[in-house]
Amino acid sequence: MDQRNFTYMFYGFAAAWLILALYVVSLVARGRKLSEQVETLKRTIKQEKA
């Protein structure tokens, strides 16, 4: 195999891992935001009952 092929393969894998990492970070951020919204909703419901 040509050395250029390994270079392109490396860049391809690097791009794939970068995209995957960004996706995971966005999922974590969404999860945190959702947890905050659930806690806010719980507090609101608790205040309505009191």
Side-chain angles (χ1 to χ4, degrees):
M1 248 173 132
D2 191 0
Q3 182 64 31
R4 284 185 316 179
N5 290 342
F6 287 115
T7 303
Y8 292 136
M9 186 175 69
F10 171 78
Y11 287 136
F13 279 123
W17 278 107
L18 179 64
I19 291 168
L20 181 62
L22 291 174
Y23 179 65
V24 169
V25 167
S26 73
L27 287 179
V28 169
R30 285 173 159 181
R32 286 184 183 159
K33 185 176 179 182
L34 185 59
S35 293
E36 291 172 5
Q37 290 177 347
V38 168
E39 289 302 318
T40 302
L41 183 58
K42 285 180 182 178
R43 285 194 301 268
T44 302
I45 291 172
K46 192 180 283 188
Q47 287 175 355
E48 292 291 324
K49 288 183 177 180

